[in-house]
Amino acid sequence: MVLHAFTHSEADMNRYAIIENGLVVNVVVGQPELNPGQTLVECPGAGPGWTYADGVFTEPVVVQPEPTPAPTKEELLAQLNALSAQIQALE
């Protein structure tokens, strides 16, 4: 087994975003020369899901879905009646 000793101290390590098609797909800590063939951009705070364009990272917008309203008493009674009719039809 061959072990490699790195000459960079942890203080020299920076956070880099791996960018694919303008999207941050991952964040690594290290030196950019250790990741040939990947587009790495130093990013102190960005993370996966962020976008990167014109030198600027943009946090993703999280859209909260609208809550589904609870059924009314009338709707529940209609469902109960429909299910009761189905059960009676089986007998």
Side-chain angles (χ1 to χ4, degrees):
M1 175 177 9
V2 176
L3 297 177
H4 296 281
F6 293 99
T7 58
H8 300 288
S9 72
E10 194 166 314
D12 293 333
M13 302 291 180
N14 293 321
R15 287 179 42 130
Y16 291 91
I18 299 173
I19 310 293
E20 291 180 7
N21 299 318
L23 183 67
V24 177
V25 295
N26 204 354
V27 175
V28 295
V29 176
Q31 294 294 320
E33 64 270 8
L34 299 178
N35 295 286
Q38 292 181 319
T39 302
L40 299 179
V41 178
E42 190 170 350
C43 66
W50 288 48
T51 57
Y52 181 76
D54 300 321
V56 177
F57 287 100
T58 304
E59 188 172 4
V61 176
V62 178
V63 178
Q64 297 295 330
E66 291 290 325
T68 305
T72 65
K73 180 180 177 181
E74 292 76 20
E75 291 170 330
L76 291 173
L77 286 172
Q79 290 176 10
L80 178 61
N81 290 334
L83 290 171
S84 294
Q86 289 177 5
I87 290 170
Q88 285 183 356
L90 295 174
E91 296 176 352

